[in-house]
Amino acid sequence: MLRAWRRLLSWLPHAAAFVSSAAGAQPIALTLDAIEHPAFSARQISLQLNSLSGGSADLDIGRLAAAGRVLTHVRLHCGEFRWSPQRVECRHGELHPAGVAALPMEFVYAPPQRRLELSLGDRDIATLAALLPELATWHPGGRVTASIKLDAAHADVVVQLHEAAFADSAGKIAAEKIAVTLEATLQRQGRAWNWQAKLDWPQGEAYFAPLYRKGGMHLVAAGRYAPELLKVERAELNIDDIGTLNGSLQWQPDSGKLRAANIDSGSLDLATLVPQFVQPFIDLQAGKKLQVSGKARIGLTLDDNGIARADIDIDDAGIAAGDASLNGIQTKIPWRRETATQASIRFAGGNFGNLPLGAVDLSLAMHGFDFSLPRAEIPLLDGMILFEDFHAVRNADKWQWKLAGALYPISMPLLTKALGLPQMDGILSASIPNIHYANETLELEGALIVSVFDGYLSATDLKVFAPFGPMPRVHADIEARHLDLGMLTHTSSF
């Protein structure tokens, strides 16, 4: 629509010399049946001027079509209007589209340079929604001001929102008390536009189900727009209290398809990041609340086939969920879809309930969606939990994995003390044969042997159906042999 106004004004100065010589200071009325242009069409046009050198003016357009939209009975009133071959000015103006409250507007048009400067004064955003049906579906509120400077090959845009609010009909996206300033510069190059933009979002609350964010954000970006492809060649997003993300992307407007994206972060504060951007998804599954500390750096690359790269570097982090925790976490995970890589995962210690866990150092081999871990040792009291030959792979979007392990002897007196139970004698150990998971079933190959009280428990044909679902089911044959019940009962009376 702005281009339409610029084109519409372009014919006025060519008639200025003729009209001014004939009219002097008398009121002037001009009428046109139609103006046709590839960018717009206008019909039933009339312009009334008190004077070329000053005074008010009124422009009426019966029908204006531009950018795929049709407006009828559009009226522009200029409280002060000046017209010369070099400059056309409308000051203290008001735009009156039919059925819409007046929009404060001023413009200056320089015909020799074909340059238009236009400003929209402070106005209720709902007024714009009456003109743009796309905005109306978001139930917008608040105030907006805007200014635009453009010519045939260049445009500068500034938009400010004050106490803005919006919400979709489904209630999944909403915001309120938003303050935003957008500054953008565009430069035409052939069919495309090179652009730069800066967005300051110092305050406000936003909800994108299930995420909620209160606070400021600041974005600086540059790229190129053509009808077939939008490129963000570089962007930096600073999220207050969390950190900075740098990236790029390519997006096809017609199909709405993301063709490529690349994101790398600076140092991110996990104590703020996890509650705002991770915990809401855990809450959807009724998971436990996480308490996290430390710093992290992340990286992600997407292409037509999905995720091509993921990097996760964690520095001296801690995490607690319920009565379990890990501390001193250090990771370097450089995952690649097409290349074999090695991940390093360490933690200094932790606990599982009242049971203390010692330091762990893991080396995970990765090749796309194929993961293997030859050996993992987790110190527990005076013994150790051992996992061996872990292997996981994703086939046809379904995961399969297997492992074996053992529980090295643990003192029963130490174990019962840590668990707050009456003291029991002896040791506890276990042998874990191959366990594999496929088709939502966890299955034990062979016998699980638990040595305790100078005897043992044997579990065979062990299967857990839907182990990660809301109602897992267990089947097993369990046999107990040679248990010395005196080790269990000598501290208790029955």
Side-chain angles (χ1 to χ4, degrees), residues 387 390-392 399-405 432-446 448 459-469 471-477:
F387 293 110
F390 171 78
H391 181 246
W399 283 98
Q400 302 177 11
W401 56 264
K402 65 177 184 178
L403 60 81
I432 306 171
N434 284 335
I435 299 175
H436 68 266
Y437 172 82
N439 300 320
E440 299 185 358
T441 301
L442 188 67
E443 187 171 356
L444 178 72
E445 296 178 357
L448 170 64
T460 57
D461 196 25
L462 174 62
K463 295 181 180 179
V464 183
F465 303 96
F468 307 110
M471 297 183 64
R473 295 178 293 115
V474 180
H475 173 273
D477 296 327

Side-chain angles (χ1 to χ4, degrees), residues 348-429:
N351 68 278
F352 186 78
N354 292 327
L355 298 177
L357 303 176
V360 175
D361 190 341
L362 307 177
S363 182
L364 180 67
M366 306 180 293
H367 193 165
F369 295 99
D370 191 309
F371 302 86
S372 60
L373 180 66
R375 186 179 180 90
E377 298 178 353
I378 305 175
L380 175 64
L381 295 173
D382 60 342
M384 180 177 65
I385 301 174
L386 171 67
F387 293 110
E388 292 183 305
D389 302 325
F390 171 78
H391 181 246
V393 63
R394 190 181 75 172
N395 289 319
D397 294 329
K398 292 185 177 181
W399 283 98
Q400 302 177 11
W401 56 264
K402 65 177 184 178
L403 60 81
L407 175 63
Y408 282 20
I410 294 175
S411 166
M412 286 299 295
L414 288 177
L415 179 61
T416 53
K417 181 180 180 181
L419 295 176
L421 299 174
Q423 180 176 323
M424 300 177 189
D425 294 333
I427 60 172
L428 173 66
S429 63

Side-chain angles (χ1 to χ4, degrees), residues 2 19 32 55 69-70 90 106 176 221 245 263 278 283 287-288 294 303 319 321 364 400 405 438 445 458 467 490:
L2 297 175
V19 176
L32 293 176
R69 304 182 185 279
V70 176
C90 174
E106 294 186 346
E176 64 179 6
L245 297 173
I263 300 172
V278 178
D283 292 342
K288 293 184 177 181
D303 59 21
I319 181 171
L364 180 67
Q400 302 177 11
E445 296 178 357
S458 173
H490 78 88

Side-chain angles (χ1 to χ4, degrees), residues 448-462:
L448 170 64
I449 304 297
V450 180
S451 299
V452 65
F453 304 136
D454 281 350
Y456 68 88
L457 297 171
S458 173
T460 57
D461 196 25
L462 174 62

Side-chain angles (χ1 to χ4, degrees), residues 8 25 38 48 54 86 99 124 142 268 301 365-366 422 431 464 488:
L8 183 59
Q48 295 185 359
Q86 289 75 36
D124 192 332
L268 304 177
T301 297
M366 306 180 293
S431 173
V464 183
L488 171 64

